[in-house]
Amino acid sequence: MFCAQACHSDFSECFIVSKIVFCEFVLFLELFMKKFTALFCSICAFLFFDARSLQAQCLPLSSLLALGNTPITQSPSSAVARYLPAIEWAYRGSVDGGKDPYWTFAPQGSTAASSDDAAPAWISLRANQGKYDVVFKTPMGSCVNQLKSELRALKIKTEPITCVECEGIRYVGDGYTVNIYSKKKGAFPNVVVVHYGTIGTGQTRDAAGSLSIGQ
């Protein structure tokens, strides 16, 4: 109404008022876009980091096999440093105070979990028949499904495994086996054991102390 009256009485005054209103609208729009852009970038960065973190803790079959095929003349720490991102896997000591070293996953920019059960993933190496048995534990079923998919693509032999209160399957490759245990109780319901060498009657702990895994 004011603008209409101003235009009726003085066109120049109406033009000035309209220009001020337009400039204020442009400033508001610019401020809104800056805040929206910053928020959008923050969300994208969070989603990217979270997706990358999830992907990193799901170890591919190639990494697990490379660790297991490492001769014991190389130390476990050097093997882990070679095949896993050292910045994302923190050394935690020995399993149950023994000789088997283990590491837990700690995403880049974070600190290692205060307890093993709170860690996103867990891996240990144990000397056996001149190489290393690799034990990988994760709460994520998607990590195990990824490994199963890779193993099925190899079209290798499979065998059922007797497992108390869990499900188990063994994949028999050329000179190695991959045992996968699912639906276990505890913080890590999924356990993967990679073993190179002769398949015999030996027993390998699952590094949790609650299950003996036949090789």
Side-chain angles (χ1 to χ4, degrees), residues 9-175:
S9 60
D10 190 340
F11 178 78
S12 61
E13 184 178 347
C14 175
F15 177 77
I16 292 173
V17 172
S18 299
K19 187 175 182 180
I20 292 174
V21 172
F22 177 75
C23 290
E24 289 179 347
F25 174 75
V26 171
L27 289 174
F28 169 78
L29 186 62
E30 182 180 2
L31 180 62
F32 173 79
M33 289 302 296
K34 285 182 178 180
K35 290 185 177 181
F36 176 80
T37 301
L39 177 61
F40 179 75
C41 291
S42 298
I43 293 174
C44 287
F46 172 78
L47 293 176
F48 174 79
F49 176 80
D50 189 58
R52 183 179 180 277
S53 175
L54 291 176
Q55 183 180 13
Q57 71 188 65
C58 289
L59 296 178
L61 178 64
S62 59
S63 295
L64 294 175
L65 292 179
L67 285 169
N69 200 28
T70 301
I72 60 174
T73 52
Q74 295 184 30
S75 67
S77 58
S78 64
V80 169
R82 180 177 181 182
Y83 295 112
L84 300 181
I87 197 171
E88 294 179 332
W89 288 88
Y91 174 70
R92 299 303 296 270
S94 299
V95 179
D96 297 331
K99 296 181 180 181
D100 305 340
Y102 74 101
W103 293 256
T104 57
F105 181 79
Q108 186 175 355
S110 67
T111 56
S114 56
S115 67
D116 294 343
D117 288 347
W122 188 106
I123 194 166
S124 176
L125 271 64
R126 175 176 183 262
N128 190 4
Q129 296 185 358
K131 296 186 178 181
Y132 289 107
D133 284 348
V134 182
V135 180
F136 173 59
K137 302 195 296 185
T138 174
M140 295 180 58
S142 58
C143 293
V144 169
N145 292 335
Q146 172 186 308
L147 289 171
K148 287 182 177 180
S149 178
E150 292 184 74
L151 287 162
R152 283 195 297 267
L154 297 177
K155 297 181 179 180
I156 57 179
K157 179 183 176 181
T158 60
E159 299 174 347
I161 299 176
T162 301
C163 179
V164 180
E165 297 184 345
C166 66
E167 296 179 0
I169 184 171
R170 171 179 292 144
Y171 294 83
V172 183
D174 185 13

Side-chain angles (χ1 to χ4, degrees), residues 166-201:
C166 66
E167 296 179 0
I169 184 171
R170 171 179 292 144
Y171 294 83
V172 183
D174 185 13
Y176 67 87
T177 59
V178 179
N179 293 358
I180 297 181
Y181 301 85
S182 305
K183 298 182 180 181
K184 287 188 59 184
K185 293 182 178 180
F188 299 102
N190 306 292
V191 177
V192 180
V193 180
V194 175
H195 169 75
Y196 269 86
T198 305
I199 303 174
T201 57

